Amino acid sequence: MGSFNLNKIMMAVLLTALGMIGIGGLTEAIFDREGLEKNAYPIEVETATAAAPAEAAVVEQGPSLAELLATASAEKGQKIFKKCKACHSADNGGKNLVGPNLWNIVGRAKGSHAGYGYSDAMKAKGGTWTYEDLFTFLKKPKDFVPGTKMGFAGLKKPADRAALLAYLRTFSDAPVALPTADAPAAD
Ligand code: HEC
């Protein structure tokens, strides 16, 4: 009888302790969630900042842009462009949104779209948007144009950027010719 009561008491102590840990854990989980929800922003900002150096090296040795573009699918690019649509319209005569309208973007002078307030960095960049420049810019906008206000981390995969370019070039009545192979094939 006595030991039965002791067991009961010990059990009660144990359960209480467990309960407190449980509640503590739960509270933490709830606060963590709230923290996340507050920070969550629907647009991908700076999520893909740190590309591993090893990966970057591999990318450099990959197929040339001309090769990638030769097989790039504009249809796949259209899907990827959904990420851009939060900030860009690509319609002919479409409005400037958070970012400038992208009609005729290939071959257009950088930072030149009428009625859009570009960052000083973009205005100072100079030159036109060639396929090569767009390809580099879209990998990591803040690397290509330090100080740009385009809040988009970038697309790491070369194939994704090539597909996107295949779609971007359709935003024109006279799409700019694709680059021809800049490096002859090894064989
Ligand atoms: C969070 C909003 C946002 C997203 C998402 C975004 N952009 Fe932008 N983009 C901007 C802003 C803002 C600028 C103007 C940058 C500046 O002035 O520095 C810009 C500028 C550009 C420019 C230069 C245009 C010019 O007239 O010189 C190109 C090209 C571009 N964006 C393409 C894209 C593509 C393609 C995507 C999708 C992969 C994309 N952007 C996603 C906001 C965004």
Side-chain angles (χ1 to χ4, degrees):
M1 188 64 168
S3 76
F4 177 72
N5 267 338
L6 193 66
N7 272 346
K8 256 171 93 175
I9 290 164
M10 284 186 64
M11 192 58 110
V13 169
L14 231 142
L15 282 176
T16 311
L18 272 176
M20 284 172 77
I21 291 167
I23 288 166
L26 200 70
T27 315
E28 248 172 56
I30 288 165
F31 277 112
D32 269 10
R33 256 182 78 95
E34 280 182 351
L36 258 181
E37 268 162 16
K38 269 182 208 128
N39 290 334
Y41 192 59
I43 298 159
E44 291 178 31
V45 183
E46 309 294 10
T47 42
T49 36
E55 192 182 328
V58 170
V59 166
E60 245 61 90
Q61 289 158 13
S64 70
L65 176 57
E67 285 167 329
L68 284 171
L69 283 173
T71 56
S73 144
E75 221 168 274
K76 181 179 166 195
Q78 184 169 15
K79 289 196 186 112
I80 298 169
F81 190 71
K82 286 184 184 153
K83 292 176 194 273
C84 322
K85 273 186 156 174
C87 301
H88 290 286
S89 153
D91 302 335
N92 187 355
K95 276 190 195 152
N96 293 320
L97 306 175
V98 174
N101 173 275
L102 293 181
W103 177 256
N104 267 335
I105 186 61
V106 183
R108 193 165 92 186
K110 293 185 185 105
S112 71
H113 194 69
Y116 184 79
Y118 290 92
S119 65
D120 290 342
M122 188 62 83
K123 281 189 280 191
K125 184 69 185 172
T128 59
W129 282 116
T130 59
Y131 288 108
E132 287 80 3
D133 281 0
L134 284 167
F135 189 71
T136 314
F137 176 63
L138 293 172
K139 179 178 181 185
K140 202 170 168 192
K142 291 193 163 80
D143 270 5
F144 189 71
V145 184
T148 180
K149 61 175 182 170
M150 171 150 143
F152 181 76
L155 297 164
K156 271 198 272 186
K157 289 190 195 154
D160 283 356
R161 278 175 280 143
L164 186 59
L165 286 185
Y167 183 59
L168 289 184
R169 77 186 286 270
T170 67
F171 303 159
S172 176
D173 287 330
V176 174
L178 290 169
T180 48
D182 30 52
D187 42 3

